[in-house]
Amino acid sequence: MHRRLCLGVLASLALPGPARAAYPDRIIRIVVPFPPGGTTDILARLVADRLDKRFGQHAIIDNRPGASGNIGTKAVAGAAPDGYTLVMATINTHGINAAVFKSLPYDPVRDFAPVTVVASTPNVLLVNPAAGIADLAGLIRLAKEKPGTLAFGSTSTGGSPHMAGELLKVMAEIDLTHVPYRGGGPMLNDLIAGHIRIGFDNLPSAIGHVRAGTLRALAVTTAERFPGLPDVPTLAEAGVPGFDVPAWFGLLAPAGTPRPVVDLLQSRIAAVLAEPETRTRLLDLGATPGGASPDAFAEIVRREVARWPAVVARTGVTIE
């Protein structure tokens, strides 16, 4: 209790004028707009755990899945701008969704105060080892021999794993059927069970299965290989030149949250991400640690919102 009181006093000294209250003096809620077990959930829990251990700044995870992340994200957009409610956002909640949905229940730029990027990661193209697909060339060959008969699973409609699959269809000139799931956990379970043969997922939720041999990684979607899986090629190397669909995950507060509160959160989260233990854990999970400033993160969000309409126009993906 003494430690938490001291932290609250130190925090209050950083806040000017009306904001000079003992922040944080109660639990912070991190809304994860996807189900438990996926990459967004894994990273949010890692941050919450480290904040508690390092600062005594207790945080709880509130999973609110649905509508490709829109339900939980909307809830945070409408929350009190006091620093006690955050959203663990992704490239789709604050980038792709603005392009694939005809309308969003929130504005990814106007309705939020970016705090920091927690991590970035490749997406990964996965197959069941029993699927008889040894590499990307084999997948493309099979898809061209039997157009429309191969299905690929993804974590949600319009998410970066889904869009990676759609972009592969366009760039490799193949026909695959998309099977959307409500998060990475359910999709991986079906892929391991053999209900689907192919899947795209964020690397952190899949890397354990790859290392265990229960799933085979054919390629990562980023421009460079991931250091933790040096033998897995990029899609560009494996036969689709120019392919590059990374993913990022970051924390945002509701718009109007006092800047001193945002800066305090960013500094503490960045300190957590810079810890050798945390960095090692993230790299082992398949993610690269973040820590960007609020202004740098805001620019990332603006860039993603501007980037995806052209990709969506090329793939033809839309969501009602």
Side-chain angles (χ1 to χ4, degrees), residues 20-307:
R20 187 166 290 178
Y23 176 86
D25 64 355
R26 52 191 167 92
I27 291 173
I28 294 172
R29 182 168 57 104
I30 300 176
V31 173
V32 174
F34 299 98
T39 299
T40 316
D41 183 69
I42 291 170
L43 295 176
R45 291 178 189 278
L46 177 63
V47 169
D49 180 62
R50 299 295 189 207
L51 281 173
D52 195 351
K53 289 179 178 177
R54 182 179 175 92
F55 298 109
Q57 186 169 309
H58 300 298
I60 60 169
I61 303 301
D62 181 2
N63 292 94
R64 293 199 184 186
S68 298
N70 290 346
I71 291 175
T73 305
K74 176 188 176 183
V76 175
D82 53 14
Y84 290 99
T85 304
L86 308 175
V87 63
M88 188 60 145
T90 69
I91 189 175
N92 58 302
T93 63
H94 284 71
I96 297 171
N97 283 5
V100 298
F101 281 87
K102 291 187 176 180
S103 64
L104 281 184
Y106 59 88
D107 186 297
V109 175
R110 186 185 63 235
D111 292 344
F112 296 90
V115 176
T116 192
V117 175
V118 171
S120 59
T121 177
N123 292 306
V124 58
L125 172 57
L126 303 157
V127 295
N128 185 300
I133 302 172
D135 51 27
L136 180 63
L139 187 156
I140 293 173
R141 183 171 57 253
L142 184 59
K144 289 186 174 181
E145 289 173 355
K146 300 179 179 180
T149 61
L150 287 180
F152 77 93
S154 81
T155 57
S156 65
T157 300
S160 63
H162 173 208
M163 297 308 294
E166 294 292 340
L167 194 57
L168 175 62
K169 288 165 56 176
V170 171
M171 296 181 71
E173 299 180 342
I174 57 177
D175 184 10
L176 302 173
T177 300
H178 177 230
V179 180
Y181 285 81
R182 295 185 65 185
M187 189 276 292
L188 292 172
N189 288 339
D190 269 11
L191 187 58
I192 292 168
H195 300 310
I196 53 174
R197 299 168 72 183
I198 305 164
F200 275 92
D201 196 7
N202 305 130
L203 186 55
S205 52
I207 194 168
H209 299 295
V210 173
R211 288 172 172 159
T214 51
L215 291 175
R216 177 181 297 152
L218 298 188
V220 293
T221 64
T222 41
E224 298 181 354
R225 296 190 182 198
F226 183 74
L229 293 175
D231 295 332
V232 177
T234 66
L235 275 160
E237 291 175 321
V240 188
F243 198 102
D244 183 18
V245 181
W248 53 257
F249 305 82
L251 289 166
L252 298 95
T257 300
R259 183 59 187 252
V261 170
V262 170
D263 287 341
L264 181 62
L265 280 167
Q266 187 276 335
S267 66
R268 290 188 172 181
I269 294 166
V272 164
L273 297 174
E275 292 176 344
E277 181 181 357
T278 306
R279 292 183 64 84
T280 298
R281 175 62 176 149
L282 285 170
L283 290 169
D284 187 58
L285 283 171
T288 302
S293 71
D295 291 338
F297 187 18
E299 180 57 33
I300 289 171
V301 172
R302 286 191 291 268
R303 188 167 62 244
E304 293 292 359
V305 171
R307 171 192 180 195

